[in-house]
Amino acid sequence: MRIFGTILLFFIVFPLIFIRRNSVFQAVILYIIMDIAIFLVFIYVPTEKVQGIVQKIFYFHVSSAITMFLAFFIAFVASIMFLWKSSDWWDAVALSSVEIGVVFCTLVLITGPIWARPIWGAWWSWDPTLTLSLVLWLIYVAYLMLRADAHDPKRTRFAAVLGIVGFVDVPLIFWSVEKWRTLHPKPVLIQEGGTTGLTFAMLLTFVVCLGAFLLLFFYLLRERTSIAQSRYSLEVLRQEVDDLLAR
Amino acid sequence: MKNFWYLFAAYSIIWTALWAYTIRLSRKNKELQEELHDLQARVERVLTK
């Protein structure tokens, strides 16, 4: 219970640091936590007996996957809010979250096969979980391709619909890991009955890695949203300049 | 240290990708802010004429 209490406190307290607008302060905090995460993975946590050293990929592979799901969930909510309120801010959040989600999804799709090669003896298998993850990546790459064009209202609304519909794939991935016959390992973090399959050292290392990735995600989201809003402001200003010069 | 290179490859890719993306965003943000300030200054100059 104490471990889960600490984890909960970690998730509640640390994102609060990122409400502050001082990005140098945030970057320093992020850098320190990333360093601690690397120390824990490579020096502190013992090597797992069955899989050996490649099991250490788990800490950043699963953290990337959880960050990716969070990014697509925020994009899903922001897309709904954009269609409802027609606010450019929600559109900027959705676009930014999808872009960061695609970065983390790419990392999941790269690190997964690197782990699989020595464990399964194959880089890739067309099993449900892996295929659904690839489909998720393709859906959100399509979203970004739609948005590659400048501020076109029709494309923006269509992309928002894609951001909502595409999210349906996320619960399917969870479902496939839990219930379908798949090569992908079953969840070890929280197993049936609420127990964990990890030792204390492994759990601590995983929590710090996940915390570091979530903080990185919030940092990137703020930066990327700021870019999207600046682009929009630039378009408005350019239009104003053109109107002024045309008079 | 069996399979060390798989671990090395995985972590190298993760860190290279994340740093590259972070630096790209920071640069883009800076460029856009500068462009925005330039344009705002131009608008003000046109308006004051």
Side-chain angles (χ1 to χ4, degrees):
Chain A
M1 278 306 282
R2 204 188 294 170
I3 296 168
F4 285 107
T6 314
I7 294 168
L8 198 64
L9 194 70
F10 186 89
F11 286 123
I12 293 167
V13 172
F14 271 82
L16 293 179
I17 294 167
F18 280 65
I19 291 171
R20 286 182 57 156
R21 283 201 157 265
N22 185 347
S23 63
V24 176
F25 173 76
Q26 291 170 1
V28 170
I29 294 286
L30 192 55
Y31 184 76
I32 292 167
I33 294 173
M34 284 289 185
D35 281 347
I36 294 170
I38 291 170
F39 169 81
L40 290 174
V41 170
F42 287 98
I43 295 165
Y44 170 71
V45 73
T47 304
E48 206 255 352
K49 282 176 190 165
V50 179
Q51 295 185 16
I53 203 166
V54 281
Q55 184 271 339
K56 287 174 187 275
I57 294 174
F58 157 86
Y59 300 108
F60 280 28
H61 173 77
V62 179
S63 300
S64 300
I66 293 173
T67 311
M68 164 192 92
F69 290 134
L70 175 71
F72 292 145
F73 176 70
I74 290 176
F76 167 74
V77 173
S79 297
I80 292 171
M81 292 306 288
F82 169 69
L83 290 177
W84 182 27
K85 302 267 183 190
S86 291
S87 149
D88 287 314
W89 187 79
W90 283 115
D91 179 48
V93 171
L95 173 64
S96 308
S97 207
V98 166
E99 190 180 288
I100 301 164
V102 166
V103 170
F104 281 100
C105 191
T106 308
L107 291 179
V108 170
L109 289 172
I110 292 172
T111 54
I114 292 174
W115 169 86
R117 181 69 182 86
I119 301 296
W120 296 344
W123 294 102
W124 185 265
S125 160
W126 291 103
D127 93 332
T129 308
L130 276 67
T131 308
L132 284 170
S133 303
L134 182 64
V135 168
L136 186 72
W137 185 81
L138 290 170
I139 289 169
Y140 285 102
V141 167
Y143 177 103
L144 292 178
M145 286 167 79
L146 256 177
R147 299 300 307 272
D149 190 17
H151 209 74
D152 177 2
K154 258 189 186 174
R155 279 184 176 224
T156 311
R157 295 188 83 77
F158 187 69
V161 174
L162 186 61
I164 296 164
V165 176
F167 189 73
V168 172
D169 197 30
V170 171
L172 280 177
I173 293 173
F174 278 107
W175 181 262
S176 73
V177 173
E178 292 264 2
K179 304 289 178 195
W180 290 353
R181 201 180 289 173
T182 169
L183 272 173
H184 191 279
K186 297 288 172 201
V188 287
L189 188 64
I190 300 168
Q191 295 173 325
E192 279 179 38
T195 56
T196 177
L198 300 175
T199 63
F200 175 78
M202 286 175 170
L203 188 62
L204 176 74
T205 306
F206 173 71
V207 168
V208 174
C209 289
L210 179 60
F213 268 47
L214 291 177
L215 291 187
L216 177 65
F217 167 72
F218 287 116
Y219 180 80
L220 293 175
L221 184 63
R222 216 191 63 187
E223 286 281 312
R224 186 63 186 83
T225 307
S226 164
I227 289 173
Q229 284 184 302
S230 297
R231 271 199 184 136
Y232 180 70
S233 304
L234 265 173
E235 273 176 38
V236 172
L237 262 175
R238 275 197 194 120
Q239 192 64 47
E240 278 180 24
V241 171
D242 288 346
D243 290 348
L244 279 170
L245 293 172
R247 275 181 207 168
Chain B
M1 281 297 199
K2 196 184 163 196
N3 296 326
F4 168 79
W5 290 106
Y6 289 103
L7 182 71
F8 180 79
Y11 277 81
S12 303
I13 290 167
I14 287 172
W15 291 113
T16 309
L18 289 179
W19 281 117
Y21 184 65
T22 309
I23 290 166
R24 183 180 156 264
L25 279 192
S26 301
R27 280 190 185 159
K28 197 83 201 159
N29 206 353
K30 205 176 163 188
E31 276 173 24
L32 278 172
Q33 293 296 337
E34 282 170 6
E35 206 177 327
L36 196 58
H37 288 309
D38 286 350
L39 208 57
Q40 276 169 339
R42 272 178 62 195
V43 171
E44 277 169 28
R45 255 180 275 144
V46 171
L47 287 173
T48 49
K49 270 183 188 174

